[in-house]
Amino acid sequence: MICPKCGAQIPDGSNFCTSCGNYLTDNAQQSNQQNVMPNNMNMGAQQMYYVSPTDHTAEFTAKDISDNKVMAMIPYLLGVFGIIIALLASRESAYTYFHVRQALKLTVVNTLLMICSLVLGWTLIVPIAVVICAVIIFVLKIIAFFQVCSGKAKEPAIISSLGFLK
């Protein structure tokens, strides 16, 4: 299927676009969705859904997620070594590759922070700021790890807004 609003390719039978969040107003899908939703969620003729543009869970099959959860956890736990292990061990899993890319983004930001700290280490403020940012990146890795545990594929919160890592 193609989203009529943004033109992105989306899985067949989708109720909304995973790229822009547009609700697909096909009558068959709309009536099917109204039958599935509980009464307290039914909002009349048009359903309103918000899909985060950083949530890519719908792009992966349930089998891929369940078969490769452990491999998707390793990059967050072991850093660069985990990225290499996951790439070698799970070559055909799009879900694992997604999490490898996210862990790689976190590793790149962490490396840039360390380089900045080395170059500007003579100041007092920069090393303190780098330590605070490194703690934030560590917390983002923990959050990403638990998202993998629950079978989700979301981009890390702050890292997803950095344009140079797209």
Side-chain angles (χ1 to χ4, degrees), residues 103-125:
L104 191 57
K105 289 178 184 180
L106 290 167
T107 303
V108 165
V109 170
N110 207 14
T111 303
L112 290 174
L113 284 171
M114 293 306 134
I115 291 171
C116 185
S117 178
L118 288 174
V119 170
L120 300 171
W122 54 272
T123 66
L124 185 60
I125 293 293

Side-chain angles (χ1 to χ4, degrees), residues 71-141:
M71 280 301 142
M73 292 177 195
I74 290 175
Y76 298 116
L77 293 175
L78 301 177
V80 175
F81 296 114
I83 290 169
I84 294 168
I85 291 169
L87 283 174
L88 294 175
S90 194
R91 293 183 182 187
E92 288 145 18
S93 170
Y95 183 70
T96 302
Y97 277 140
F98 173 82
H99 286 290
V100 165
R101 285 191 306 272
Q102 302 315 311
L104 191 57
K105 289 178 184 180
L106 290 167
T107 303
V108 165
V109 170
N110 207 14
T111 303
L112 290 174
L113 284 171
M114 293 306 134
I115 291 171
C116 185
S117 178
L118 288 174
V119 170
L120 300 171
W122 54 272
T123 66
L124 185 60
I125 293 293
V126 172
I128 293 171
V130 166
V131 168
I132 292 170
C133 290
V135 169
I136 291 170
I137 290 173
F138 180 72
V139 170
L140 290 175
K141 284 184 179 182

Side-chain angles (χ1 to χ4, degrees), residues 1-24 29 58-59:
M1 288 177 55
I2 303 293
C3 175
K5 183 176 179 183
C6 70
Q9 186 173 1
I10 52 178
D12 289 340
S14 296
N15 294 323
F16 51 86
C17 176
T18 55
S19 180
C20 69
N22 182 38
Y23 180 71
L24 304 176
Q29 289 179 346
E59 297 173 13

Side-chain angles (χ1 to χ4, degrees), residues 27-109:
N27 290 336
Q29 289 179 346
Q30 194 171 24
S31 63
N32 184 28
Q33 188 67 21
Q34 287 178 353
N35 292 337
V36 172
M37 298 298 290
N39 288 336
N40 61 348
M41 296 288 288
N42 193 348
M43 296 171 58
Q46 183 177 359
Q47 304 281 329
M48 299 296 289
Y49 296 99
Y50 174 75
V51 177
S52 173
T54 61
D55 187 356
H56 300 275
T57 308
E59 297 173 13
F60 306 104
T61 64
K63 181 171 178 19
D64 186 18
I65 292 172
S66 66
D67 289 350
N68 297 295
K69 252 188 204 180
V70 174
M71 280 301 142
M73 292 177 195
I74 290 175
Y76 298 116
L77 293 175
L78 301 177
V80 175
F81 296 114
I83 290 169
I84 294 168
I85 291 169
L87 283 174
L88 294 175
S90 194
R91 293 183 182 187
E92 288 145 18
S93 170
Y95 183 70
T96 302
Y97 277 140
F98 173 82
H99 286 290
V100 165
R101 285 191 306 272
Q102 302 315 311
L104 191 57
K105 289 178 184 180
L106 290 167
T107 303
V108 165
V109 170

